[in-house]
Amino acid sequence: MKHPLRSAVTTTGRRMAGARSLWRANGMREEQFGRPVIGIANSFTQLVPGHVHLHEIGQYVKQRIEALGCFAAEFNTIAIDDGIAMGHDGMLYSLPSREIIADSVEYMANAHKVDALVCISNCDKITPGMLMAAMRLDIPTVFVSGGPMEAGHLGERALDLIDAMVMAADENCSDEQVARVERAACPGCGSCSGMFTANSMNCLTEALGLSLPGNGTVVATHVNRRRLFEEAAALIVRNAERYYFEGDDSVLPRSVATKAAFENAMSLDIAMGGSTNTVLHLLAIAQEAGCPVDLALFNEISEKTPNLCHLAPAGDTYMEDLERAGGVYAVMAELAQAGLLDTGTLTCTGRTVAENLEGVVNRNEEIIRPLDNPYSRTGGIAVLKGNLAPDGCVVKQSAVAPEMMVHEGPARVFDSEDDAIRAIYDGKIVAGDVVVIRYEGPKGGPGMREMLNPTSAIAGMGLDKDVALITDGRFSGATRGASIGHVSPEAASGGTIGLVEEGDLIAIDIPARTINLKVAEEELAARRAKWVCPEPKIKTGYLARYAKLVSSADRGAILE
């Protein structure tokens, strides 16, 4: 044995008789002692459609691992449904749950000294939280998600969750129309069907090299998803043996998720037009991996990486369409042709990206545009800077209408999402306005709520091509329009966004990567001298502790 089993401290020696007795009570057989103990970090819950089917999957993965001679032990993390938590104070808990998920996986794996992990994730904060834990633990790990939901259908029309939300905000849609869409939009289990945060992150695990090809795109209900679970079970046993018995460090997460692998993930994200939330998560995961990346790197990569996909919300195609076109690796194959990927990086399969790309073809150039016919020559995500966001802010430019790429308008200022939503529904927002929602950042929220409800309301009222929205909060991957989030520094930290007054002109130039408050520096200095940080909104419990420890969005909103 080249590396001692972590679990050996609980399974060997006279003094561990009690621990061995407990392992036996857990179901460990005599022949499994001395073999790797595989932890299965599951995230089953009946509160999240992306996770309702994961209980049976966890047990199936356990059976497959144990058929190969190792003992497997399943445990669970929490999971929050952002769609159900949206639009009320439940959303305050969404981003902070990422840290609890990361901590809980670290706790369970280290307390019980498991030797390797299968991480069964799916929705928004679960995948990044588990990735953060995997980087901390640095033991053999394979990711396998529950898979995306199929698109809903109403007659010939394909639908997703956002159609229901936008139609609900549209006064021209009858209650009956909304009810029909509501019943059809989410037809079953899986992560919501567009290129939203959950699916973006599950696709990025492929580019990082920590999951099998197909992880991000094979739908939850397809037989090939079951094959992925079988392959993941076999792979984790093989990788655990390679590390502990053969001394092969190349299977460890930090050996796979190198700086080059993170740059590959960024390139893929930008080419696919992924969620802006991936920026937050990649920054946090890279920090845990010991190879921190700077927010500015997203712009550097975006400048040379074309946008090749317009999946919902940018277009009317879905994850199932991307899978039929060849999946994540077909997008990566297009990028590799232009030298935009480091194909020499290793993956958990034991093969390089280049080897995994062998035989991969783009089967539908309408879904995955070729390099000579992109949706745009630059990528789907842009980082803007200026006096309103000296440390940066993020926009999903692939979902912005052409007429809003450059915009100047008067600020309509709100100190909470709730106040902004009321103003939108009351018809107080008009074409040309720039809605500013502040004190919703990591500290100020606390928790950095997603602003899908305000953007859906703006779209539902037909203003998504006329109104911009700026916030120190964040946006759902399902958001479309000129929605600019992650403004840093945030208002609660004394950022310029906290100094904006009603009617101030704000200039946005996405192609130039700038965002500026058109107020003289002398006036801003006077406002800053008078500024007083508001009292914390929440003073007890987890969120109060989170607000004291969390960093800014431009650093991934990690805890310090």
Side-chain angles (χ1 to χ4, degrees), residues 274-292:
S275 163
T276 53
N277 281 320
T278 58
V279 176
L280 270 179
H281 299 322
L282 285 173
L283 290 169
I285 298 158
Q287 183 73 29
E288 296 286 2
C291 54

PDB file of all heavy atoms in Angstrom, residues 274-292:
ATOM      1  N   GLY A 274     -23.270  30.611 -19.658  1.00  0.00           N
ATOM      2  CA  GLY A 274     -23.754  30.096 -18.389  1.00  0.00           C
ATOM      3  C   GLY A 274     -24.195  31.196 -17.442  1.00  0.00           C
ATOM      4  O   GLY A 274     -24.083  32.391 -17.718  1.00  0.00           O
ATOM      5  N   SER A 275     -24.683  30.776 -16.290  1.00  0.00           N
ATOM      6  CA  SER A 275     -25.185  31.688 -15.274  1.00  0.00           C
ATOM      7  C   SER A 275     -24.068  32.558 -14.700  1.00  0.00           C
ATOM      8  O   SER A 275     -22.929  32.104 -14.545  1.00  0.00           O
ATOM      9  CB  SER A 275     -25.816  30.873 -14.138  1.00  0.00           C
ATOM     10  OG  SER A 275     -25.975  31.627 -12.971  1.00  0.00           O
ATOM     11  N   THR A 276     -24.399  33.811 -14.329  1.00  0.00           N
ATOM     12  CA  THR A 276     -23.416  34.663 -13.663  1.00  0.00           C
ATOM     13  C   THR A 276     -23.053  34.126 -12.279  1.00  0.00           C
ATOM     14  O   THR A 276     -22.004  34.467 -11.730  1.00  0.00           O
ATOM     15  CB  THR A 276     -23.927  36.109 -13.524  1.00  0.00           C
ATOM     16  OG1 THR A 276     -25.217  36.093 -12.891  1.00  0.00           O
ATOM     17  CG2 THR A 276     -24.041  36.770 -14.887  1.00  0.00           C
ATOM     18  N   ASN A 277     -23.918  33.294 -11.700  1.00  0.00           N
ATOM     19  CA  ASN A 277     -23.589  32.696 -10.403  1.00  0.00           C
ATOM     20  C   ASN A 277     -22.333  31.836 -10.479  1.00  0.00           C
ATOM     21  O   ASN A 277     -21.644  31.635  -9.468  1.00  0.00           O
ATOM     22  CB  ASN A 277     -24.751  31.845  -9.892  1.00  0.00           C
ATOM     23  CG  ASN A 277     -25.851  32.686  -9.279  1.00  0.00           C
ATOM     24  OD1 ASN A 277     -25.591  33.658  -8.579  1.00  0.00           O
ATOM     25  ND2 ASN A 277     -27.087  32.330  -9.550  1.00  0.00           N
ATOM     26  N   THR A 278     -22.030  31.308 -11.652  1.00  0.00           N
ATOM     27  CA  THR A 278     -20.832  30.487 -11.782  1.00  0.00           C
ATOM     28  C   THR A 278     -19.567  31.292 -11.484  1.00  0.00           C
ATOM     29  O   THR A 278     -18.565  30.729 -11.052  1.00  0.00           O
ATOM     30  CB  THR A 278     -20.723  29.889 -13.202  1.00  0.00           C
ATOM     31  OG1 THR A 278     -20.706  30.960 -14.162  1.00  0.00           O
ATOM     32  CG2 THR A 278     -21.893  28.960 -13.500  1.00  0.00           C
ATOM     33  N   VAL A 279     -19.625  32.600 -11.713  1.00  0.00           N
ATOM     34  CA  VAL A 279     -18.474  33.447 -11.398  1.00  0.00           C
ATOM     35  C   VAL A 279     -18.202  33.392  -9.897  1.00  0.00           C
ATOM     36  O   VAL A 279     -17.068  33.153  -9.455  1.00  0.00           O
ATOM     37  CB  VAL A 279     -18.712  34.891 -11.870  1.00  0.00           C
ATOM     38  CG1 VAL A 279     -17.560  35.781 -11.455  1.00  0.00           C
ATOM     39  CG2 VAL A 279     -18.913  34.936 -13.384  1.00  0.00           C
ATOM     40  N   LEU A 280     -19.250  33.613  -9.100  1.00  0.00           N
ATOM     41  CA  LEU A 280     -19.118  33.516  -7.642  1.00  0.00           C
ATOM     42  C   LEU A 280     -18.543  32.164  -7.232  1.00  0.00           C
ATOM     43  O   LEU A 280     -17.626  32.082  -6.413  1.00  0.00           O
ATOM     44  CB  LEU A 280     -20.496  33.645  -6.984  1.00  0.00           C
ATOM     45  CG  LEU A 280     -21.045  35.005  -6.587  1.00  0.00           C
ATOM     46  CD1 LEU A 280     -22.421  34.813  -5.983  1.00  0.00           C
ATOM     47  CD2 LEU A 280     -20.132  35.701  -5.606  1.00  0.00           C
ATOM     48  N   HIS A 281     -19.101  31.109  -7.810  1.00  0.00           N
ATOM     49  CA  HIS A 281     -18.741  29.767  -7.357  1.00  0.00           C
ATOM     50  C   HIS A 281     -17.341  29.363  -7.795  1.00  0.00           C
ATOM     51  O   HIS A 281     -16.585  28.772  -7.016  1.00  0.00           O
ATOM     52  CB  HIS A 281     -19.779  28.757  -7.850  1.00  0.00           C
ATOM     53  CG  HIS A 281     -21.154  29.023  -7.333  1.00  0.00           C
ATOM     54  ND1 HIS A 281     -21.392  29.461  -6.052  1.00  0.00           N
ATOM     55  CD2 HIS A 281     -22.379  28.921  -7.929  1.00  0.00           C
ATOM     56  CE1 HIS A 281     -22.698  29.618  -5.874  1.00  0.00           C
ATOM     57  NE2 HIS A 281     -23.306  29.300  -6.997  1.00  0.00           N
ATOM     58  N   LEU A 282     -16.972  29.683  -9.026  1.00  0.00           N
ATOM     59  CA  LEU A 282     -15.626  29.323  -9.486  1.00  0.00           C
ATOM     60  C   LEU A 282     -14.559  30.055  -8.677  1.00  0.00           C
ATOM     61  O   LEU A 282     -13.510  29.484  -8.351  1.00  0.00           O
ATOM     62  CB  LEU A 282     -15.472  29.614 -10.978  1.00  0.00           C
ATOM     63  CG  LEU A 282     -16.166  28.623 -11.921  1.00  0.00           C
ATOM     64  CD1 LEU A 282     -16.089  29.116 -13.365  1.00  0.00           C
ATOM     65  CD2 LEU A 282     -15.576  27.223 -11.810  1.00  0.00           C
ATOM     66  N   LEU A 283     -14.820  31.316  -8.341  1.00  0.00           N
ATOM     67  CA  LEU A 283     -13.878  32.045  -7.500  1.00  0.00           C
ATOM     68  C   LEU A 283     -13.699  31.356  -6.149  1.00  0.00           C
ATOM     69  O   LEU A 283     -12.574  31.211  -5.643  1.00  0.00           O
ATOM     70  CB  LEU A 283     -14.370  33.481  -7.277  1.00  0.00           C
ATOM     71  CG  LEU A 283     -14.337  34.430  -8.490  1.00  0.00           C
ATOM     72  CD1 LEU A 283     -15.093  35.719  -8.170  1.00  0.00           C
ATOM     73  CD2 LEU A 283     -12.911  34.745  -8.917  1.00  0.00           C
ATOM     74  N   ALA A 284     -14.816  30.906  -5.564  1.00  0.00           N
ATOM     75  CA  ALA A 284     -14.767  30.260  -4.248  1.00  0.00           C
ATOM     76  C   ALA A 284     -14.108  28.890  -4.314  1.00  0.00           C
ATOM     77  O   ALA A 284     -13.298  28.529  -3.450  1.00  0.00           O
ATOM     78  CB  ALA A 284     -16.185  30.139  -3.688  1.00  0.00           C
ATOM     79  N   ILE A 285     -14.427  28.120  -5.346  1.00  0.00           N
ATOM     80  CA  ILE A 285     -13.865  26.765  -5.472  1.00  0.00           C
ATOM     81  C   ILE A 285     -12.362  26.837  -5.733  1.00  0.00           C
ATOM     82  O   ILE A 285     -11.580  26.070  -5.159  1.00  0.00           O
ATOM     83  CB  ILE A 285     -14.593  25.991  -6.600  1.00  0.00           C
ATOM     84  CG1 ILE A 285     -16.077  25.821  -6.271  1.00  0.00           C
ATOM     85  CG2 ILE A 285     -13.950  24.622  -6.820  1.00  0.00           C
ATOM     86  CD1 ILE A 285     -16.943  25.564  -7.492  1.00  0.00           C
ATOM     87  N   ALA A 286     -11.960  27.767  -6.600  1.00  0.00           N
ATOM     88  CA  ALA A 286     -10.531  27.918  -6.893  1.00  0.00           C
ATOM     89  C   ALA A 286      -9.755  28.309  -5.640  1.00  0.00           C
ATOM     90  O   ALA A 286      -8.624  27.856  -5.429  1.00  0.00           O
ATOM     91  CB  ALA A 286     -10.332  28.956  -7.994  1.00  0.00           C
ATOM     92  N   GLN A 287     -10.353  29.135  -4.812  1.00  0.00           N
ATOM     93  CA  GLN A 287      -9.707  29.515  -3.546  1.00  0.00           C
ATOM     94  C   GLN A 287      -9.476  28.279  -2.687  1.00  0.00           C
ATOM     95  O   GLN A 287      -8.391  28.086  -2.118  1.00  0.00           O
ATOM     96  CB  GLN A 287     -10.601  30.520  -2.804  1.00  0.00           C
ATOM     97  CG  GLN A 287     -10.019  31.057  -1.509  1.00  0.00           C
ATOM     98  CD  GLN A 287      -8.884  32.033  -1.727  1.00  0.00           C
ATOM     99  OE1 GLN A 287      -8.837  32.718  -2.740  1.00  0.00           O
ATOM    100  NE2 GLN A 287      -7.956  32.098  -0.779  1.00  0.00           N
ATOM    101  N   GLU A 288     -10.470  27.408  -2.588  1.00  0.00           N
ATOM    102  CA  GLU A 288     -10.338  26.176  -1.807  1.00  0.00           C
ATOM    103  C   GLU A 288      -9.316  25.231  -2.433  1.00  0.00           C
ATOM    104  O   GLU A 288      -8.668  24.446  -1.738  1.00  0.00           O
ATOM    105  CB  GLU A 288     -11.687  25.466  -1.684  1.00  0.00           C
ATOM    106  CG  GLU A 288     -12.756  26.241  -0.931  1.00  0.00           C
ATOM    107  CD  GLU A 288     -12.539  26.279   0.573  1.00  0.00           C
ATOM    108  OE1 GLU A 288     -11.531  25.725   1.060  1.00  0.00           O
ATOM    109  OE2 GLU A 288     -13.386  26.865   1.277  1.00  0.00           O
ATOM    110  N   ALA A 289      -9.173  25.303  -3.759  1.00  0.00           N
ATOM    111  CA  ALA A 289      -8.245  24.419  -4.468  1.00  0.00           C
ATOM    112  C   ALA A 289      -6.796  24.881  -4.362  1.00  0.00           C
ATOM    113  O   ALA A 289      -5.884  24.182  -4.813  1.00  0.00           O
ATOM    114  CB  ALA A 289      -8.638  24.319  -5.940  1.00  0.00           C
ATOM    115  N   GLY A 290      -6.602  26.064  -3.777  1.00  0.00           N
ATOM    116  CA  GLY A 290      -5.242  26.572  -3.627  1.00  0.00           C
ATOM    117  C   GLY A 290      -4.694  27.223  -4.869  1.00  0.00           C
ATOM    118  O   GLY A 290      -3.490  27.449  -4.992  1.00  0.00           O
ATOM    119  N   CYS A 291      -5.580  27.542  -5.830  1.00  0.00           N
ATOM    120  CA  CYS A 291      -5.132  28.250  -7.039  1.00  0.00           C
ATOM    121  C   CYS A 291      -6.121  29.381  -7.334  1.00  0.00           C
ATOM    122  O   CYS A 291      -6.862  29.329  -8.305  1.00  0.00           O
ATOM    123  CB  CYS A 291      -4.993  27.307  -8.230  1.00  0.00           C
ATOM    124  SG  CYS A 291      -6.442  26.328  -8.623  1.00  0.00           S
ATOM    125  N   PRO A 292      -6.156  30.396  -6.454  1.00  0.00           N
ATOM    126  CA  PRO A 292      -7.148  31.472  -6.597  1.00  0.00           C
ATOM    127  C   PRO A 292      -7.044  32.175  -7.940  1.00  0.00           C
ATOM    128  O   PRO A 292      -5.953  32.335  -8.489  1.00  0.00           O
ATOM    129  CB  PRO A 292      -6.815  32.420  -5.437  1.00  0.00           C
ATOM    130  CG  PRO A 292      -5.413  32.087  -5.040  1.00  0.00           C
ATOM    131  CD  PRO A 292      -5.235  30.635  -5.329  1.00  0.00           C
TER     132      PRO A 292
END
